[in-house]
Amino acid sequence: MATTAPVHPVDEVPPVRHLAAFGLQHVLAMYAGAVAVPLIVGGAMRLSPADLAYLITADLLVCGIATLIQCVGFWRFGVRLPIMQGCTFAAVSPMVLIGTTGGGLPAIYGSVIVAGLAIVLLAPVFGRLLRFFPPLVTGTVILIIGVSLLPVAGNWAAGGVGSKDFGEPKNLVLAGFVLAVVLGVQRFAPAFLGRIAVLVGIAVGLAVAVPFGFTDFGGVGEADWIGISTPFHFGAPSFHASAIVSMLAVALVTMTETTGDFIAVGEMTGRPIEPRTLADGLRADGLSTVLGGVFNTFPYTAFAQNVGLVGMTRVRSRWVVAAAGGILVVLGLLPKLGAVVAAIPAPVLGGAGLVMFGTVAASGVRTLAGVDFNSNNNLTVVAVSVAIGMLPVGVPTVYEKFPDWFQTVMNSGISAGCLTAIVLNLLFNHLPGRASSAEAGTEPEGASAGA
């Protein structure tokens, strides 16, 4: 009798009730980061509240579509792993500069469309570079991703950057309470609740925050019930050479960051990234970025916030994240629901973020545990890469005197650390010279070395 081949956990489809709960958990984990980019860019350009609201709903809609493309996939588009998509922060500074001095939103969207097309074309090239990401490099990059995100969780826990009560003890107490709930549920609750520990923590934290005045639902009443994003709402795109060049630099940075996120999720889910799947995933990034330029939003990339959630919950199904994409599409079409989610106070997200982002860093340590450090070479690669990656995180103004293109690359701790790890691995383990370090850092195909 014929036997059915076992389904990989990435391809399993959980029951509908589980899909909804797990998917909502992913949405809550990334929502604050998803709406931050349109808020920052729109605020810098002094857009009206109505235009800001339009940017946010457009962003949520395309976030959902981009996530569905990445997780479900079609033809050669989509990595088909549990990857959430959102606007990249690497593009914020260039977009603010373009928007305020170089042609407004139409110039931004023109450069975004060109950058998206460039990513689609460059995706196969990046796919062939996967051999330069052995466990030594991937473990270092995953570690840097996690550690560089921790300040984000810290800022949320303190009340959110720019809030009047930033750093007040009550904010940190609420964040600590949410963290305790997440850990308690994960340790003592039944298996299903343990997998939605972040969702439970956020729900309990919100229930506590409301009576103590942490949140304001005033924006819910003002929001529209239905909002439809139309192409080129702010005018036809315009194409300026300087804007396009700066956005192409952003594209290279986001491709590097996304590669690190793909590799991290591939290791967590037991489906390692291959050159073809990497190219397919980057190609989906490019398509989503083009859609962003058409539908009045910005460049898209894999969201590292949700990488930690995959590792923490051990829920590996890509259909869970596809469900999250569907929820984002609904939020983008129903602004009133989006306003409800936006009312969740930052300290609640901060408490959950601490454990999620810490999980990413711990996953990097786990990958590095399989690397041979008997020689100082591999230790040097990790040490210097982490140091360079953490420099802009610890000292955000360290490169402010440098040219804009340099800041675009190096102000992202993830891209700075990733590029450093790749270069140092080539220097110590690939270039001819005296005896290289153990093969743990040099195997190009990830055949061993604890991968």
Side-chain angles (χ1 to χ4, degrees):
M1 188 173 74
T3 58
T4 303
V7 178
H8 193 282
V10 168
D11 299 318
E12 288 181 349
V13 182
V16 173
R17 66 182 186 279
H18 291 183
L19 277 176
F22 293 146
L24 180 59
Q25 185 170 238
H26 272 282
V27 170
L28 295 179
M30 62 84 70
Y31 190 91
V35 301
V37 173
L39 281 173
I40 294 170
V41 176
M45 297 180 63
R46 303 185 184 279
L47 297 182
S48 67
D51 284 343
L52 269 178
Y54 191 94
L55 279 184
I56 291 171
T57 54
D59 175 40
L60 292 175
L61 175 64
V62 181
C63 273
I65 295 172
T67 299
L68 288 168
I69 293 172
Q70 197 66 270
C71 295
V72 178
F74 69 93
W75 190 51
R76 296 296 302 277
F77 291 84
V79 72
R80 295 169 175 82
L81 286 173
I83 293 285
M84 287 291 290
Q85 296 286 104
C87 283
T88 174
F89 284 87
V92 169
S93 295
M95 288 193 301
V96 168
L97 188 63
I98 295 167
T100 54
T101 65
L105 284 172
I108 292 177
Y109 295 140
S111 63
V112 167
I113 290 171
V114 173
L117 293 173
I119 292 173
V120 172
L121 294 175
L122 290 173
V125 178
F126 254 72
R128 289 193 288 271
L129 296 178
L130 189 61
R131 67 191 187 92
F132 296 113
F133 288 84
L136 173 64
V137 173
T138 59
T140 303
V141 171
I142 297 169
L143 173 62
I144 292 171
I145 291 172
V147 176
S148 65
L149 286 172
L150 287 174
V152 176
N155 283 323
W156 287 347
V161 176
S163 63
K164 294 179 181 178
D165 61 349
F166 185 85
E168 290 284 343
K170 64 176 184 177
N171 292 331
L172 295 170
V173 168
L174 177 58
F177 171 73
V178 171
L179 175 60
V181 171
V182 172
L183 296 176
V185 170
Q186 191 173 12
R187 174 62 181 86
F188 298 107
F192 171 68
L193 286 179
R195 290 177 176 174
I196 57 170
V198 169
L199 178 60
V200 173
I202 290 175
V204 173
L206 182 59
V208 171
V210 171
F212 284 96
F214 278 90
T215 189
D216 178 15
F217 288 98
V220 178
E222 300 173 2
D224 296 328
W225 277 106
I226 298 177
I228 304 296
S229 299
T230 55
F232 307 125
H233 174 80
F234 295 99
S238 58
F239 301 93
H240 302 262
S242 59
I244 290 171
V245 169
S246 63
M247 204 57 65
L248 288 175
V250 169
L252 293 175
V253 172
T254 58
M255 292 176 79
T256 304
E257 292 182 355
T258 297
T259 298
D261 292 332
F262 285 170
I263 291 171
V265 173
E267 292 195 4
M268 290 176 180
T269 58
R271 179 173 279 178
I273 289 293
E274 298 176 353
R276 174 169 175 150
T277 52
L278 173 58
D280 291 349
L282 292 173
R283 200 176 282 113
D285 261 15
L287 175 60
S288 301
T289 296
V290 172
L291 291 176
V294 172
F295 285 94
N296 319 293
T297 180
F298 308 116
Y300 284 85
T301 187
F303 247 37
Q305 286 93 321
N306 297 82
V307 173
L309 192 56
V310 172
M312 176 190 161
T313 63
R314 297 183 295 281
V315 176
R316 296 181 279 178
S317 171
R318 61 190 172 107
W319 298 104
V320 163
V321 179
I327 294 172
L328 285 172
V329 170
V330 173
L331 292 176
L333 296 174
L334 301 176
K336 197 172 285 291
L337 286 180
V340 172
V341 177
I344 298 174
V348 172
L349 298 174
L354 286 171
V355 65
M356 288 191 302
F357 303 160
T359 300
V360 180
S363 297
V365 173
R366 182 178 61 188
T367 300
L368 288 173
V371 175
D372 188 348
F373 288 106
N374 289 328
S375 164
N376 284 333
N377 286 358
N378 286 342
L379 195 64
T380 299
V381 171
V382 176
V384 176
S385 300
V386 171
I388 297 297
M390 290 303 98
L391 196 57
V393 175
V395 189
T397 59
V398 66
Y399 298 123
E400 66 177 7
K401 303 296 184 182
F402 283 73
D404 290 339
W405 66 267
F406 187 89
Q407 293 185 50
T408 299
V409 176
M410 299 302 291
N411 270 343
S412 166
I414 297 172
S415 63
C418 183
L419 291 174
T420 304
I422 293 171
V423 171
L424 291 182
N425 180 55
L426 289 173
L427 175 65
F428 284 108
N429 296 320
H430 285 266
L431 293 181
R434 61 183 176 83
S436 63
S437 59
E439 290 298 313
T442 61
E443 292 198 50
E445 302 300 330
S448 60

